[in-house]
Amino acid sequence: MSDVIKLLPDHIANQIAAGEVIQRPASVVKEMVENAIDAGAFKVQVIIKDAGKTLIQIIDNGSGMTENDAVMSFERHATSKVRKAEDLFALTTKGFRGEALASIAAIAHVVLKTRKEETETGVSIEIEGSKIKKKEACVCPVGTSFEVKNLFYNVPARRNFLKSDNVEFNHIIDEFERIALAHPDIAFSLHHNDNEIYNLHSAVLRKRIVDILGRNSNDKLVPIEESTDIVKITGYVGKPEFAKKTRGEQFLFVNNRFFKDSFFSHSLSKAFDGLIQQKMFPSFFLYLDIDPKKIDVNVHPTKTEIKFEEDKLIYSIILSSVRQALGKYNIAPTLDFNRETSFDIPYEMHSKPAVEPTIHVNKNYNPFQSSPAKTGNSFTAAIKAEGFGSNEASPKDWQSFYKIEEEESEPEVVELNLEINNQLTKNFLIRGKYILTNCKSGILVIDCQRAFERIVYDELINKFISNPISSQKLLFPLEREFSSNEKNEWINNQVMLERLGFYGEFQDLNLSLSAIPAVLQEESIHDCINLILESIAYQEIGKGEIAHVIVQSIASASGKRKSAMQNNEAAEALVEQLFQCPEHSFTPRGKKIIQTLTIEEIALKF
Ligand code: ADP
Ligand code: MG
């Protein structure tokens, strides 16, 4: 019997490859403009006729090619960008497969004109269906011009598959915008059937975004900036009130390459939780800078999907930095220097005259002082002034008021002084567990343990964004038995756990912990590990929530230990730190930290 297997001729192999890389005119634009950028161009012109079905021309002022390179460039797997296998793992160029030109030349009429600076004349090559038809010296500027005509002329199925000019041209605009946003420093122009669609000058990122989205967009942008040892994030998100009904304004870039990633997009949507309505989408232009060794670009023929080694960490870093930026914007919109209006005055206030704000505070208000205070304005007087009658208030009353039953001893009431907003406020520490403090409507009762949990959580999350959090070595390693499921989950999340301060090794199912987060006391480790395992091994949690869950566990375990506050300074510092947390009313797990007792509620007790 005769053998039947034959190697495909090059032109057929190229046509097949073209099917993957070149799906439509927009793909040609993408590949060719990327080549121009890789060639160091700082000016790229894109000229389109009939949505690219008749002509796609890309002119650049990059390095140009020698005659030999120009011929070689159309060969399959011909590339100047990758020399050895390792290069694939540290890509700094857009292209690397050496497939685009070979594919395009297999399915279109191509004219290439190119010249290097060193030579007086350039070379012109005409190629059709992978065959060179003409090659001659030519006069042309330094750089490269590719004309791609009659795309898919020899693949009718593909040509018929193309959509209307409108649709195809919109795809071209999408690709053009993605590349232009990735490279604000490069000048780009786009012409369609002799109409100028874009003429973008080299600019800073904000200007480039505004040039593409339109002038009104400047006011919408909130800057994002975060630098960590894993990833550097820069860019802008749209203010919540400008959210869109479609995902049209969502752009992610890594090392100046546009990519799509539903996981990271989810992180951004999550950052906007509660700020925008359901089914609305935030705008974002987010640029990740990351060591090229830590990403894999080579997972998809058009390179729009990228694998990240540390995707969970990056998710958390995006989430936190966008939340932080939005928080800043919400608190201080007038600090946005790019705003045209200088004050944000609520609409209903516009017609009212300005009134100097005043605050009435009884500086000496002290619910535990049963005799008139030396300054005269006593608790009794204060209560009376509110229309209530009791002359006597003793710590005992408060004890029963709070029904603290588990401890036998008399309540220990320590009087603290604390400066908040330059107002002298008195605080009282009760049994090392609660702090009472004065407020306008009555009394605030602060749960020390929960307050501590919130403070530690905020501190760790903020630190963790930019650096691994500090770890303390244990004098004697701590041993702990895991189930096999727990062990798997621990190992799955090891990078994150180490970043948060846990170092250890398994021998079978036994974890020997050699270092723990510095904020944890040794006696809380078991508690903390239980809390972590409860979440990572027994609950459905999103990949991106893991950092938050672990930090919550650390905060909660350390809160328990420290909660018995015995000294005044610690309690004072606690109140001060708590009120510096943007969210000071609830713990990260959503438990109330502060209860308010209004004067009316207190009165009802008598
Ligand atoms: P890749 O970009 O993956 O290397 P391509 O098929 O897109 O593969 O291009 C093949 C080669 O042709 C490139 O590696 C580069 O050396 C050269 N080339 C392509 N376009 C240009 C250009 N505009 N300017 C200079 N050289 C180019
Ligand atoms: Mg290329």
Side-chain angles (χ1 to χ4, degrees), residues 352-363:
K352 296 189 178 162
V355 180
E356 193 182 330
T358 52
I359 301 170
H360 303 285
V361 181
N362 176 1
K363 292 182 183 175

Side-chain angles (χ1 to χ4, degrees), residues 31 34-35 38 81 95-96 100 303:
E31 293 294 336
E34 287 190 347
N35 279 345
D38 281 345
K81 302 166 194 173
F96 55 87
K303 298 168 244 143

